[in-house]
Amino acid sequence: MQTQPNPTLDDVARRAGVSTATVSRCLNAPAKVSGKTRERVMAAVTALGYTPHFGARAMAARRTHTIGAVIPTMENAVFARGLQAFQEGLHAAGYTLLVASSAYDPVVEAEQVRALVARGADGLLLIGRTRDRALTDFLSARGVPALLAWVVEGEGVSVGFDNRAAMRALAEAVLAEGHRRIAMISGLTTGNDRASERLAGLREALAAAGLTRAGLPLEEVPYGIETGGAAFARLMEARPRPTAVMCGNDVLAAGALAKAAEMGLRVPEDVSITGFDDIELARIVPPGLTTAHVPHRDMGARAAEVLIALVEGGDAASVTLACPVVRRGSLGPPRG
Amino acid sequence: MQTQPNPTLDDVARRAGVSTATVSRCLNAPAKVSGKTRERVMAAVTALGYTPHFGARAMAARRTHTIGAVIPTMENAVFARGLQAFQEGLHAAGYTLLVASSAYDPVVEAEQVRALVARGADGLLLIGRTRDRALTDFLSARGVPALLAWVVEGEGVSVGFDNRAAMRALAEAVLAEGHRRIAMISGLTTGNDRASERLAGLREALAAAGLTRAGLPLEEVPYGIETGGAAFARLMEARPRPTAVMCGNDVLAAGALAKAAEMGLRVPEDVSITGFDDIELARIVPPGLTTAHVPHRDMGARAAEVLIALVEGGDAASVTLACPVVRRGSLGPPRG
DNA sequence: CGGCTCAATGTAAGCGCTTGCATAGCTATG
DNA sequence: CATAGCTATGCAAGCGCTTACATTGAGCCG
């Protein structure tokens, strides 16, 4: 499809009457070139519409100023928002972001990581911390630093929050209202440490309140409004019914809320519902969703800082952010 | 940071006792190599954990199997979803997707387009069709095909829908209910042809119904739930009040809906509200949002097909998808 | 059994850029 | 005025890969 060959450094050099080395310096270290020459070169650059060839540059410079990120899916607003902030931070520092999605599949994730490394990513942003040894080894052999986000430090540097503690705090708020029959709708926990940590947090809180572990009705379903609604309906078939349904994320909770309305159940009088993430949705679904606030944008911005430090300097410390409980209308005392 | 140099073709070749050419052929055209050699080479590849260097490959092969996409923002679910489908389609065909976002700024968009081309994108996906001459010229000079999505064909190939016609159809439904005092909350129209086309569609319908153009109260606000709510509040200060508020997208409409509830206005008894896009939200905000259904996933998938055809074959036809009106509780006849 | 074909492999020339080193043209110094 | 010390530039060697072309060695024909 290449109709006319793209202009190269050589074309620019010829047109400006200098060597390719000078042109290259003009572009990468303008201070090393005299004012007059620089002007002439820049004129040639714009006249020709020259754009440096990325592959060639990466090859010669062994540096790409590119950061790769592998996220589970772009369809989840939570990642989209964090990533947007992340990319703004990178852009400001002169880095470009390459995004790939894994569809929550570790095999695909590994593939994508390799693809990004092959593309010359100087560093990587990864979500969560469940991943296999081979991948970590691969990255360290290649000398590509990776930052883990959405979790707290396991091994390696991370920027994130403690999913378990946040969920436990939320559960404590629910218990404090007087709820004893609590059920949970969790996202799929297989290969998803955020989901399993949240579940674990709830179990810890229940145990601490003297409620037996066996007593937690649980539905584990894929991410989605529909699936959340369906899971809610199943949980509400139990007699006696749970008085509170805690969800692994806001989207599941929104589904539960919608289904409750459809079933003629009042929230929170007949049943309390909680979410996790605090996406915009949480504010607008009536009566407002009580949830754990995850500072997505802040996390993305901090992640950019830390990863750049890692890439350029060599080391940087992990950051742990707080996830306060946000109380809205969906949580109230059990009736009776 | 590169602790150990990455293995190169040469390392693999040496280890397998063949030339680099043979290794390259093994990877790119296995049929040209004898079975025994291939096994030996593949063994060396895995033993060394070899990954081809992307830049080098792009340089030598003048082809990257990479498609770039520039979207306004990842935070808009609408693009996220379309893009997810797009990327799945590309992946299946062996292409990789590079995503960049422009924040609705044409200058940034142009930058990103150039960056993607410099990175060797074989083709580009662009949203909408308002863009300046220089950019189109640049792309055609470089021989990089671009596909426009979310719109119908202007010049160039597109995969999308007719924003104006869809909005007109929606407006006709509103008029058919008997509404005559209609207001609009539009997204920012500057540099956003989707938004301006939708507005134009509404105006056409009003004109066709004999309502004067001057009679359309209009709020033009940035994308967001909050901004939609605030705009709604302003529109409802008019006396007599509008009986129907049509919004440029579902997110603005969700904000309007939430604000209506907060103001104690019943929907649709006191005021009807419509959206555009039909995102998940539209189904769950009570009483359900009447909106125009945009087939995002389908659009993404078709876009992948068409763009690949463009890149590989050279030409392909535009695709126009229908956007049926979806009726939900938020639209009813005006009271009285 | 010579000669031809064809499949499998090797040789080597780039692809477009960066960068260490050499060079040239100055000015400041003794 | 010769010399040292700069700065601005050029030269040329790769970076890791693909691919046209050359080479080799079978297998097959008459």
Side-chain angles (χ1 to χ4, degrees), chain A residues 1-2 6 49 51-52 54 56 66 73-75 80-81 84 87 101 118-119 141-143 225-226 280-281 283 286 297, chain B residues 1-3 6 49 51-52 54 59 66 73-75 80-81 84 87 101 118-119 142-143 225-226 280-281 283-284 286 297:
Chain A
M1 280 294 310
Q2 224 73 168
N6 291 348
T51 330
F54 183 80
T66 292
T73 169
M74 297 190 245
E75 286 194 41
R81 173 157 307 194
Q84 181 75 29
Q87 109 110 295
S101 54
R119 282 192 133 69
R142 285 291 200 279
I225 289 187
E226 305 294 355
E280 268 198 321
L281 192 51
R283 235 176 320 140
R297 289 196 60 90
Chain B
M1 281 296 308
Q2 222 72 168
T3 50
N6 290 347
T51 331
F54 184 79
M59 202 162 160
T66 292
T73 169
M74 298 190 245
E75 286 193 41
R81 174 157 306 193
Q84 181 74 29
Q87 109 111 295
S101 55
R119 281 194 132 70
R142 285 291 200 280
I225 289 188
E226 304 295 352
E280 268 200 321
L281 193 51
R283 234 175 320 142
I284 61 160
R297 290 197 59 89

Short mmCIF file of all heavy atoms in Angstrom, two decimals, chain A residues 1-2 6 49 51-52 54 56 66 73-75 80-81 84 87 101 118-119 141-143 225-226 280-281 283 286 297, chain B residues 1-3 6 49 51-52 54 59 66 73-75 80-81 84 87 101 118-119 142-143 225-226 280-281 283-284 286 297:
data_model
loop_
_atom_site.label_atom_id
_atom_site.label_comp_id
_atom_site.label_asym_id
_atom_site.label_seq_id
_atom_site.Cartn_x
_atom_site.Cartn_y
_atom_site.Cartn_z
N MET A 1 0.81 -1.21 0.00
CA MET A 1 0.00 0.00 0.00
C MET A 1 0.86 1.27 0.00
O MET A 1 0.40 2.34 -0.34
CB MET A 1 -0.89 0.01 1.24
CG MET A 1 -2.13 -0.85 1.14
SD MET A 1 -3.28 -0.23 -0.10
CE MET A 1 -3.41 1.51 0.37
N GLN A 2 2.09 1.11 0.39
CA GLN A 2 2.98 2.28 0.46
C GLN A 2 3.15 2.87 -0.93
O GLN A 2 3.93 2.36 -1.74
CB GLN A 2 4.34 1.79 1.01
CG GLN A 2 4.96 2.67 2.04
CD GLN A 2 4.27 2.62 3.41
OE1 GLN A 2 4.79 3.11 4.35
NE2 GLN A 2 3.10 2.04 3.52
N ASN A 6 8.21 6.62 2.34
CA ASN A 6 8.26 7.68 3.34
C ASN A 6 9.61 8.36 3.32
O ASN A 6 10.62 7.74 3.02
CB ASN A 6 8.05 7.09 4.73
CG ASN A 6 6.63 6.59 4.90
OD1 ASN A 6 5.77 6.88 4.08
ND2 ASN A 6 6.40 5.84 5.94
N GLY A 49 7.61 16.58 5.66
CA GLY A 49 6.64 15.86 6.51
C GLY A 49 7.30 14.62 7.09
O GLY A 49 6.69 13.57 7.19
N THR A 51 8.70 11.89 9.50
CA THR A 51 8.42 11.29 10.80
C THR A 51 9.45 10.19 11.01
O THR A 51 9.60 9.33 10.15
CB THR A 51 7.05 10.58 10.81
OG1 THR A 51 6.18 11.24 9.91
CG2 THR A 51 6.47 10.56 12.20
N PRO A 52 10.14 10.18 12.11
CA PRO A 52 11.15 9.15 12.31
C PRO A 52 10.52 7.76 12.31
O PRO A 52 9.38 7.61 12.75
CB PRO A 52 11.75 9.47 13.67
CG PRO A 52 10.94 10.56 14.26
CD PRO A 52 10.08 11.14 13.21
N PHE A 54 9.83 4.44 13.76
CA PHE A 54 9.91 3.99 15.14
C PHE A 54 10.77 2.74 15.34
O PHE A 54 11.59 2.66 16.25
CB PHE A 54 8.51 3.72 15.66
CG PHE A 54 8.50 3.33 17.08
CD1 PHE A 54 8.60 4.29 18.06
CD2 PHE A 54 8.43 2.00 17.45
CE1 PHE A 54 8.61 3.94 19.38
CE2 PHE A 54 8.46 1.64 18.77
CZ PHE A 54 8.55 2.61 19.74
N ALA A 56 13.19 1.58 13.55
CA ALA A 56 14.60 1.87 13.35
C ALA A 56 15.17 2.56 14.58
O ALA A 56 16.27 2.26 15.05
CB ALA A 56 14.78 2.74 12.12
N THR A 66 8.25 3.68 25.67
CA THR A 66 6.93 3.10 25.56
C THR A 66 6.66 2.26 26.80
O THR A 66 7.54 1.54 27.27
CB THR A 66 6.88 2.17 24.33
OG1 THR A 66 6.99 2.96 23.16
CG2 THR A 66 5.60 1.38 24.29
N THR A 73 -9.99 -6.17 30.77
CA THR A 73 -10.89 -5.80 29.69
C THR A 73 -11.11 -4.30 29.67
O THR A 73 -11.13 -3.66 30.72
CB THR A 73 -12.26 -6.48 29.80
OG1 THR A 73 -13.16 -5.88 28.88
CG2 THR A 73 -12.83 -6.32 31.20
N MET A 74 -11.28 -3.76 28.49
CA MET A 74 -11.54 -2.33 28.39
C MET A 74 -12.98 -2.02 28.74
O MET A 74 -13.33 -0.88 28.96
CB MET A 74 -11.29 -1.87 26.96
CG MET A 74 -9.86 -2.05 26.53
SD MET A 74 -9.56 -1.22 24.97
CE MET A 74 -9.22 -2.64 23.93
N GLU A 75 -13.82 -3.06 28.73
CA GLU A 75 -15.24 -2.80 28.94
C GLU A 75 -15.57 -2.48 30.39
O GLU A 75 -16.66 -2.03 30.70
CB GLU A 75 -16.07 -4.00 28.48
CG GLU A 75 -16.13 -4.07 26.98
CD GLU A 75 -17.21 -5.03 26.51
OE1 GLU A 75 -18.29 -5.07 27.10
OE2 GLU A 75 -16.93 -5.77 25.55
N ALA A 80 -10.81 1.34 32.65
CA ALA A 80 -10.76 2.41 31.66
C ALA A 80 -10.36 3.72 32.33
O ALA A 80 -9.49 4.45 31.85
CB ALA A 80 -12.11 2.57 30.98
N ARG A 81 -10.96 3.98 33.48
CA ARG A 81 -10.69 5.24 34.15
C ARG A 81 -9.29 5.30 34.71
O ARG A 81 -8.59 6.29 34.56
CB ARG A 81 -11.71 5.41 35.26
CG ARG A 81 -11.43 6.60 36.11
CD ARG A 81 -12.65 7.06 36.80
NE ARG A 81 -13.71 7.27 35.82
CZ ARG A 81 -14.82 7.92 36.11
NH1 ARG A 81 -15.01 8.38 37.32
NH2 ARG A 81 -15.73 8.09 35.19
N GLN A 84 -6.87 5.75 31.90
CA GLN A 84 -6.88 7.08 31.30
C GLN A 84 -5.94 8.00 32.09
O GLN A 84 -5.11 8.70 31.51
CB GLN A 84 -8.32 7.63 31.31
CG GLN A 84 -8.46 9.01 30.69
CD GLN A 84 -8.39 8.97 29.17
OE1 GLN A 84 -8.75 7.98 28.54
NE2 GLN A 84 -7.89 10.03 28.57
N GLN A 87 -2.35 6.99 31.50
CA GLN A 87 -1.83 7.43 30.21
C GLN A 87 -1.57 8.93 30.18
O GLN A 87 -0.59 9.38 29.59
CB GLN A 87 -2.78 6.95 29.10
CG GLN A 87 -3.59 7.97 28.44
CD GLN A 87 -3.07 8.11 27.03
OE1 GLN A 87 -1.94 8.54 26.83
NE2 GLN A 87 -3.88 7.75 26.06
N SER A 101 -5.53 -6.22 26.06
CA SER A 101 -6.41 -6.79 27.06
C SER A 101 -6.35 -8.31 27.04
O SER A 101 -6.06 -8.93 26.03
CB SER A 101 -7.83 -6.28 26.90
OG SER A 101 -8.28 -6.49 25.60
N ALA A 118 8.24 -7.59 23.21
CA ALA A 118 8.83 -7.67 21.87
C ALA A 118 8.74 -6.31 21.18
O ALA A 118 9.61 -5.93 20.41
CB ALA A 118 8.09 -8.72 21.04
N ARG A 119 7.68 -5.60 21.46
CA ARG A 119 7.51 -4.28 20.89
C ARG A 119 8.41 -3.26 21.55
O ARG A 119 8.33 -2.09 21.26
CB ARG A 119 6.07 -3.82 21.06
CG ARG A 119 5.13 -4.43 20.11
CD ARG A 119 3.82 -3.69 20.18
NE ARG A 119 3.34 -3.39 18.86
CZ ARG A 119 2.90 -4.28 18.00
NH1 ARG A 119 2.88 -5.53 18.32
NH2 ARG A 119 2.48 -3.90 16.82
N ALA A 141 14.45 -11.60 33.44
CA ALA A 141 15.55 -11.94 32.54
C ALA A 141 15.72 -10.85 31.48
O ALA A 141 16.83 -10.49 31.11
CB ALA A 141 15.29 -13.29 31.86
N ARG A 142 14.58 -10.33 31.04
CA ARG A 142 14.63 -9.31 30.01
C ARG A 142 14.94 -7.93 30.59
O ARG A 142 15.12 -6.97 29.86
CB ARG A 142 13.29 -9.21 29.28
CG ARG A 142 13.02 -10.32 28.33
CD ARG A 142 13.93 -10.24 27.13
NE ARG A 142 13.39 -10.98 26.01
CZ ARG A 142 13.50 -12.28 25.87
NH1 ARG A 142 14.14 -12.99 26.78
NH2 ARG A 142 12.99 -12.88 24.83
N GLY A 143 14.93 -7.86 31.91
CA GLY A 143 15.21 -6.58 32.52
C GLY A 143 14.10 -5.57 32.32
O GLY A 143 14.34 -4.37 32.32
N ILE A 225 -24.30 -6.71 34.55
CA ILE A 225 -25.51 -6.31 35.25
C ILE A 225 -26.50 -7.46 35.29
O ILE A 225 -27.08 -7.76 36.34
CB ILE A 225 -26.12 -5.07 34.54
CG1 ILE A 225 -25.23 -3.85 34.80
CG2 ILE A 225 -27.53 -4.82 35.03
CD1 ILE A 225 -25.80 -2.55 34.32
N GLU A 226 -26.67 -8.10 34.15
CA GLU A 226 -27.63 -9.21 34.07
C GLU A 226 -27.28 -10.32 35.05
O GLU A 226 -28.13 -10.82 35.78
CB GLU A 226 -27.60 -9.82 32.66
CG GLU A 226 -27.84 -8.85 31.53
CD GLU A 226 -29.25 -8.28 31.57
OE1 GLU A 226 -30.06 -8.72 32.41
OE2 GLU A 226 -29.53 -7.38 30.75
N GLU A 280 -19.36 5.80 38.76
CA GLU A 280 -20.41 6.82 38.67
C GLU A 280 -21.79 6.24 38.92
O GLU A 280 -22.63 6.83 39.59
CB GLU A 280 -20.41 7.46 37.27
CG GLU A 280 -19.56 8.69 37.17
CD GLU A 280 -19.95 9.52 35.94
OE1 GLU A 280 -20.24 8.92 34.89
OE2 GLU A 280 -19.94 10.76 36.04
N LEU A 281 -21.97 5.08 38.34
CA LEU A 281 -23.22 4.35 38.47
C LEU A 281 -23.70 4.29 39.91
O LEU A 281 -24.90 4.40 40.19
CB LEU A 281 -22.95 2.93 37.95
CG LEU A 281 -24.12 2.01 37.69
CD1 LEU A 281 -25.12 2.73 36.82
CD2 LEU A 281 -23.63 0.75 37.01
N ARG A 283 -23.60 6.29 42.22
CA ARG A 283 -24.25 7.49 42.71
C ARG A 283 -25.65 7.64 42.16
O ARG A 283 -26.50 8.26 42.77
CB ARG A 283 -23.41 8.71 42.32
CG ARG A 283 -23.04 9.57 43.51
CD ARG A 283 -22.13 10.70 43.08
NE ARG A 283 -21.17 10.21 42.09
CZ ARG A 283 -20.79 10.89 41.03
NH1 ARG A 283 -21.26 12.09 40.80
NH2 ARG A 283 -19.91 10.37 40.19
N PRO A 286 -30.89 4.53 42.11
CA PRO A 286 -31.57 4.78 43.37
C PRO A 286 -31.55 3.53 44.22
O PRO A 286 -31.61 2.44 43.67
CB PRO A 286 -33.00 5.12 42.92
CG PRO A 286 -33.14 4.61 41.54
CD PRO A 286 -31.77 4.49 40.96
N ARG A 297 -8.57 7.11 39.50
CA ARG A 297 -7.76 8.09 38.78
C ARG A 297 -6.46 8.35 39.53
O ARG A 297 -5.38 8.41 38.93
CB ARG A 297 -8.53 9.39 38.56
CG ARG A 297 -9.65 9.25 37.54
CD ARG A 297 -10.13 10.62 37.06
NE ARG A 297 -9.06 11.37 36.44
CZ ARG A 297 -8.77 11.32 35.15
NH1 ARG A 297 -9.47 10.57 34.33
NH2 ARG A 297 -7.77 12.01 34.67
N MET B 1 18.66 -0.74 32.00
CA MET B 1 18.00 -1.79 32.78
C MET B 1 18.22 -3.19 32.18
O MET B 1 18.03 -4.20 32.83
CB MET B 1 16.49 -1.55 32.82
CG MET B 1 16.04 -0.51 33.80
SD MET B 1 16.41 -1.00 35.51
CE MET B 1 15.66 -2.65 35.57
N GLN B 2 18.52 -3.26 30.93
CA GLN B 2 18.68 -4.55 30.27
C GLN B 2 19.82 -5.32 30.92
O GLN B 2 21.00 -5.09 30.65
CB GLN B 2 19.01 -4.30 28.78
CG GLN B 2 18.29 -5.19 27.81
CD GLN B 2 16.80 -4.88 27.67
OE1 GLN B 2 16.17 -5.37 26.80
NE2 GLN B 2 16.22 -4.07 28.54
N THR B 3 19.49 -6.25 31.80
CA THR B 3 20.55 -6.93 32.53
C THR B 3 21.34 -7.88 31.64
O THR B 3 22.54 -7.77 31.50
CB THR B 3 19.98 -7.71 33.72
OG1 THR B 3 18.89 -8.51 33.24
CG2 THR B 3 19.47 -6.77 34.77
N ASN B 6 18.99 -9.57 25.33
CA ASN B 6 17.98 -10.52 24.86
C ASN B 6 18.58 -11.44 23.82
O ASN B 6 19.45 -11.03 23.06
CB ASN B 6 16.82 -9.77 24.24
CG ASN B 6 16.02 -9.01 25.29
OD1 ASN B 6 16.21 -9.25 26.48
ND2 ASN B 6 15.17 -8.14 24.85
N GLY B 49 14.11 -18.89 25.06
CA GLY B 49 13.04 -17.95 25.35
C GLY B 49 13.11 -16.78 24.37
O GLY B 49 12.89 -15.63 24.71
N THR B 51 12.30 -14.11 21.63
CA THR B 51 11.17 -13.34 21.10
C THR B 51 11.74 -12.42 20.03
O THR B 51 12.69 -11.69 20.29
CB THR B 51 10.58 -12.40 22.17
OG1 THR B 51 10.79 -12.96 23.44
CG2 THR B 51 9.13 -12.16 21.92
N PRO B 52 11.17 -12.44 18.84
CA PRO B 52 11.72 -11.58 17.79
C PRO B 52 11.63 -10.11 18.18
O PRO B 52 10.71 -9.70 18.88
CB PRO B 52 10.84 -11.87 16.58
CG PRO B 52 9.73 -12.73 17.04
CD PRO B 52 10.06 -13.26 18.38
N PHE B 54 10.65 -6.59 17.65
CA PHE B 54 9.64 -6.03 16.79
C PHE B 54 10.15 -4.94 15.85
O PHE B 54 9.81 -4.91 14.66
CB PHE B 54 8.52 -5.45 17.66
CG PHE B 54 7.39 -4.94 16.87
CD1 PHE B 54 6.47 -5.82 16.34
CD2 PHE B 54 7.28 -3.60 16.60
CE1 PHE B 54 5.43 -5.35 15.58
CE2 PHE B 54 6.24 -3.13 15.83
CZ PHE B 54 5.32 -4.01 15.32
N MET B 59 11.30 -3.17 10.46
CA MET B 59 12.22 -2.50 9.57
C MET B 59 12.54 -3.36 8.35
O MET B 59 12.53 -2.88 7.22
CB MET B 59 13.49 -2.28 10.35
CG MET B 59 14.28 -1.20 9.78
SD MET B 59 15.40 -0.74 11.08
CE MET B 59 16.57 0.07 10.04
N THR B 66 0.01 -4.43 12.51
CA THR B 66 -0.47 -3.62 13.62
C THR B 66 -1.51 -2.64 13.08
O THR B 66 -1.32 -2.06 12.02
CB THR B 66 0.70 -2.83 14.22
OG1 THR B 66 1.59 -3.73 14.85
CG2 THR B 66 0.21 -1.82 15.23
N THR B 73 -11.89 9.06 23.99
CA THR B 73 -11.51 8.74 25.35
C THR B 73 -11.89 7.32 25.70
O THR B 73 -12.88 6.78 25.21
CB THR B 73 -12.22 9.67 26.37
OG1 THR B 73 -12.01 9.16 27.68
CG2 THR B 73 -13.70 9.74 26.11
N MET B 74 -11.09 6.72 26.54
CA MET B 74 -11.40 5.35 26.96
C MET B 74 -12.49 5.35 28.01
O MET B 74 -13.06 4.33 28.31
CB MET B 74 -10.17 4.70 27.56
CG MET B 74 -9.03 4.58 26.58
SD MET B 74 -7.72 3.55 27.26
CE MET B 74 -6.40 4.75 27.40
N GLU B 75 -12.75 6.51 28.60
CA GLU B 75 -13.71 6.53 29.70
C GLU B 75 -15.14 6.42 29.24
O GLU B 75 -16.04 6.21 30.04
CB GLU B 75 -13.52 7.81 30.54
CG GLU B 75 -12.30 7.74 31.39
CD GLU B 75 -12.29 8.84 32.44
OE1 GLU B 75 -13.34 9.13 33.03
OE2 GLU B 75 -11.21 9.42 32.66
N ALA B 80 -15.24 2.06 24.43
CA ALA B 80 -14.59 0.90 25.02
C ALA B 80 -15.19 -0.38 24.45
O ALA B 80 -14.48 -1.29 24.05
CB ALA B 80 -14.75 0.92 26.53
N ARG B 81 -16.50 -0.39 24.38
CA ARG B 81 -17.16 -1.61 23.93
C ARG B 81 -16.91 -1.87 22.45
O ARG B 81 -16.60 -2.99 22.04
CB ARG B 81 -18.65 -1.50 24.19
CG ARG B 81 -19.41 -2.64 23.61
CD ARG B 81 -20.70 -2.80 24.32
NE ARG B 81 -20.47 -2.91 25.75
CZ ARG B 81 -21.41 -3.31 26.59
NH1 ARG B 81 -22.61 -3.60 26.13
NH2 ARG B 81 -21.15 -3.38 27.87
N GLN B 84 -13.41 -3.07 21.99
CA GLN B 84 -13.15 -4.43 22.46
C GLN B 84 -13.48 -5.42 21.34
O GLN B 84 -12.71 -6.32 21.02
CB GLN B 84 -14.00 -4.70 23.70
CG GLN B 84 -13.80 -6.09 24.30
CD GLN B 84 -12.49 -6.21 25.04
OE1 GLN B 84 -11.95 -5.25 25.57
NE2 GLN B 84 -11.93 -7.42 25.05
N GLN B 87 -10.96 -5.16 18.56
CA GLN B 87 -9.69 -5.80 18.87
C GLN B 87 -9.80 -7.31 18.80
O GLN B 87 -8.88 -7.99 18.33
CB GLN B 87 -9.19 -5.28 20.22
CG GLN B 87 -9.23 -6.21 21.34
CD GLN B 87 -7.81 -6.56 21.70
OE1 GLN B 87 -7.11 -7.17 20.90
NE2 GLN B 87 -7.37 -6.16 22.86
N SER B 101 -5.65 7.82 22.77
CA SER B 101 -6.85 8.65 22.92
C SER B 101 -6.52 10.12 22.75
O SER B 101 -5.42 10.58 22.99
CB SER B 101 -7.55 8.37 24.25
OG SER B 101 -6.66 8.56 25.31
N ALA B 118 4.11 6.38 12.70
CA ALA B 118 5.54 6.22 12.92
C ALA B 118 5.83 4.84 13.50
O ALA B 118 6.87 4.25 13.23
CB ALA B 118 6.04 7.30 13.88
N ARG B 119 4.92 4.35 14.29
CA ARG B 119 5.08 3.04 14.89
C ARG B 119 4.81 1.94 13.88
O ARG B 119 4.81 0.77 14.23
CB ARG B 119 4.09 2.87 16.02
CG ARG B 119 4.48 3.53 17.28
CD ARG B 119 3.62 3.02 18.41
NE ARG B 119 4.43 2.65 19.54
CZ ARG B 119 5.07 3.50 20.30
NH1 ARG B 119 5.02 4.78 20.02
NH2 ARG B 119 5.78 3.09 21.32
N ARG B 142 1.34 8.69 2.90
CA ARG B 142 2.03 7.57 3.52
C ARG B 142 1.47 6.22 3.09
O ARG B 142 2.00 5.18 3.43
CB ARG B 142 1.91 7.66 5.03
CG ARG B 142 2.78 8.70 5.68
CD ARG B 142 4.23 8.31 5.59
NE ARG B 142 5.03 9.02 6.56
CZ ARG B 142 5.44 10.27 6.41
NH1 ARG B 142 5.15 10.92 5.32
NH2 ARG B 142 6.16 10.84 7.35
N GLY B 143 0.33 6.28 2.40
CA GLY B 143 -0.27 5.03 1.96
C GLY B 143 -0.86 4.21 3.10
O GLY B 143 -0.95 3.00 3.02
N ILE B 225 -22.31 12.66 33.82
CA ILE B 225 -23.58 12.55 34.51
C ILE B 225 -23.94 13.87 35.19
O ILE B 225 -25.05 14.38 35.07
CB ILE B 225 -23.53 11.40 35.53
CG1 ILE B 225 -23.51 10.07 34.78
CG2 ILE B 225 -24.70 11.47 36.49
CD1 ILE B 225 -23.65 8.86 35.66
N GLU B 226 -22.95 14.42 35.87
CA GLU B 226 -23.17 15.67 36.60
C GLU B 226 -23.60 16.79 35.66
O GLU B 226 -24.55 17.52 35.93
CB GLU B 226 -21.86 16.14 37.26
CG GLU B 226 -21.20 15.14 38.17
CD GLU B 226 -22.05 14.83 39.39
OE1 GLU B 226 -23.07 15.53 39.59
OE2 GLU B 226 -21.69 13.90 40.13
N GLU B 280 -25.60 -0.08 28.74
CA GLU B 280 -26.25 -0.90 29.79
C GLU B 280 -27.06 -0.03 30.74
O GLU B 280 -28.15 -0.39 31.16
CB GLU B 280 -25.19 -1.64 30.60
CG GLU B 280 -24.88 -3.02 30.06
CD GLU B 280 -24.22 -3.89 31.12
OE1 GLU B 280 -23.39 -3.35 31.88
OE2 GLU B 280 -24.52 -5.08 31.19
N LEU B 281 -26.46 1.08 31.09
CA LEU B 281 -27.09 2.03 31.98
C LEU B 281 -28.54 2.33 31.59
O LEU B 281 -29.41 2.49 32.45
CB LEU B 281 -26.26 3.33 31.87
CG LEU B 281 -26.47 4.42 32.90
CD1 LEU B 281 -26.38 3.82 34.28
CD2 LEU B 281 -25.41 5.50 32.71
N ARG B 283 -30.75 0.57 30.47
CA ARG B 283 -31.72 -0.44 30.86
C ARG B 283 -32.02 -0.38 32.36
O ARG B 283 -33.08 -0.76 32.80
CB ARG B 283 -31.16 -1.83 30.52
CG ARG B 283 -32.12 -2.62 29.66
CD ARG B 283 -31.48 -3.91 29.24
NE ARG B 283 -30.08 -3.70 28.91
CZ ARG B 283 -29.13 -4.56 29.20
NH1 ARG B 283 -29.39 -5.67 29.85
NH2 ARG B 283 -27.89 -4.30 28.84
N ILE B 284 -31.03 0.08 33.12
CA ILE B 284 -31.23 -0.04 34.55
C ILE B 284 -31.65 1.23 35.29
O ILE B 284 -32.16 1.14 36.39
CB ILE B 284 -29.99 -0.62 35.24
CG1 ILE B 284 -28.79 0.29 35.02
CG2 ILE B 284 -29.70 -2.02 34.73
CD1 ILE B 284 -27.71 0.04 36.03
N PRO B 286 -34.11 3.66 36.45
CA PRO B 286 -35.56 3.68 36.39
C PRO B 286 -36.02 5.00 35.78
O PRO B 286 -35.37 6.01 36.03
CB PRO B 286 -35.98 3.57 37.86
CG PRO B 286 -34.77 3.93 38.66
CD PRO B 286 -33.59 3.74 37.79
N ARG B 297 -20.90 -3.31 19.47
CA ARG B 297 -20.05 -4.49 19.27
C ARG B 297 -20.06 -4.91 17.80
O ARG B 297 -19.03 -5.22 17.22
CB ARG B 297 -20.51 -5.65 20.16
CG ARG B 297 -20.24 -5.40 21.64
CD ARG B 297 -20.32 -6.71 22.43
NE ARG B 297 -19.37 -7.69 21.94
CZ ARG B 297 -18.12 -7.81 22.38
NH1 ARG B 297 -17.69 -7.04 23.33
NH2 ARG B 297 -17.32 -8.72 21.87
#
